Amino acid sequence: MAADAGRSSNTAVLNGARAVVTAGAAGIGRAIADAFAVAGARIAVCDVDEAALTAFREARPDAIAVEADVSQEASLGAFLDRIEADWGGADIVVANAGIGGPAGAVETIAFDDWKACLAVNLDGAFLTCRWAARVLKAQQSGLLLLTASTAGLFGYPKRSPYAAAKWGVVGLMKTLAMELGPHGVRVNALCPGAVDGPRMDRVVAREAQAHDVDEAAIRRRYVDGVSMKTWVTAEEVADAALFLASPAGAKISGQALAIDGNTQTLAP
Ligand code: NAD
């Protein structure tokens, strides 16, 4: 028997699977949606950025691409209702939406900024997972992926709202893996390190101000705390998502998978 007999190629590994990605029109969500589409999945994304959605629709005219804010129950609900109406369910749900939130010592954080950060990162994950749990449980199969962060695995000075939200996301993942496992549903979290791109440019600028140092120093700090001395790309995060969604991930659940070159500390 050939050594690779029985193994599937990545190009059809998700063959017809129905994949939902929140905040899927740009950044990590877009990279995941693209990787899943190339692997043969049908794709539905939501996002709050109309320009990014327009570009997404042009690139993937067969996909469902809807303007929806994950932190607003009615807005997200309309997107999820549309998926149920069009597809009758889903096989892979990625609760990916998140924002960086404010940077600064905890005593300087405005309550409204704290709440806004938790609303997108944690309320949005809860609302997406609540829908996914009902749909996937009814089917007795599927994968629920949450985008957490290395900030959900370590203390993160001057980023307390984001760290608290992402530890919450990991807690949600751990709990739902236990609730849904008996129903054939897997639940995992992706924990990316610093991803090169416009979002981290904004985060670095805010942290430079909060720490009163220049941006180059903040960029060096991110690499200093990582064993492999590297940032990561959105495509590398998407590769990990594809692995978890593929048959190779069939028995992986309850895991917070870091894609980060091994973070040792997020403390400056
Ligand atoms: P991003 O800032 O590039 O934004 C991606 C998309 O999210 C954008 O199109 C934006 O419009 C959309 N979005 C923002 N708020 C939304 C909302 N309320 N509802 C729906 N869509 C919304 O973000 P990203 O870097 O791709 O991050 C995606 C996820 O990965 C987040 O959960 C983030 O916390 C996490 N993460 C990012 C990094 C990083 O370095 N970029 C590292 C670790 C974890």
Side-chain angles (χ1 to χ4, degrees):
M1 193 167 150
D4 56 359
R7 293 191 181 273
S8 49
S9 97
N10 261 2
T11 50
V13 83
L14 299 184
N15 197 17
R18 300 159 297 177
V20 180
V21 184
T22 67
I28 293 171
R30 172 71 195 260
I32 292 174
D34 285 343
F36 285 3
V38 168
R42 287 185 279 167
I43 305 296
V45 301
C46 74
D47 207 290
V48 289
D49 183 337
E50 191 47 54
L53 280 166
T54 300
F56 185 89
R57 288 185 193 109
E58 280 166 13
R60 302 210 170 277
D62 296 337
I64 297 172
V66 169
E67 185 167 354
D69 181 338
V70 299
S71 68
Q72 303 297 320
E73 188 173 11
S75 173
L76 180 66
F79 168 59
L80 299 173
D81 287 349
R82 158 92 188 272
I83 291 165
E84 273 189 278
D86 283 17
W87 287 353
D91 302 298
I92 305 163
V93 179
V94 189
N96 168 70
I99 57 170
V106 70
E107 65 272 23
T108 70
I109 304 288
F111 190 33
D112 281 349
D113 292 341
W114 164 273
K115 285 192 281 194
C117 180
L118 266 72
V120 178
N121 286 293
L122 195 50
D123 297 358
F126 160 72
L127 292 169
T128 308
C129 290
R130 188 178 62 176
W131 177 83
R134 176 174 59 74
V135 167
L136 301 182
K137 199 168 164 179
Q139 293 170 185
Q140 297 284 296
S141 67
L143 170 67
L144 173 55
L145 267 182
L146 296 89
T147 309
S149 166
T150 46
L153 304 171
F154 293 86
Y156 195 175
K158 300 197 175 172
R159 293 289 300 283
S160 51
Y162 187 67
K166 291 304 191 185
W167 277 75
V169 168
V170 172
L172 191 59
M173 178 279 291
K174 287 279 181 195
T175 302
L176 298 188
M178 295 169 78
E179 288 188 16
L180 299 176
H183 302 280
V185 177
R186 298 185 295 118
V187 188
N188 292 291
L190 303 166
C191 296
V195 175
D196 229 342
R199 174 205 173 99
M200 279 308 294
D201 292 345
R202 295 191 298 272
V203 168
V204 165
R206 277 200 302 278
E207 290 187 4
Q209 205 171 21
H211 290 275
D212 197 21
V213 294
D214 65 29
E215 292 184 16
I218 296 290
R219 287 188 177 276
R220 273 196 305 278
R221 281 180 194 174
Y222 273 101
V223 174
D224 279 349
V226 173
S227 306
M228 292 179 71
K229 308 296 171 204
T230 185
W231 289 47
V232 297
T233 65
E235 290 69 29
E236 287 165 338
V237 180
D239 284 345
L242 181 58
F243 169 74
L244 290 170
S246 77
K251 295 293 157 55
I252 300 174
S253 192
Q255 304 304 307
L257 177 64
I259 307 102
D260 65 343
N262 191 40
T263 300
Q264 298 168 187
T265 176
L266 293 173

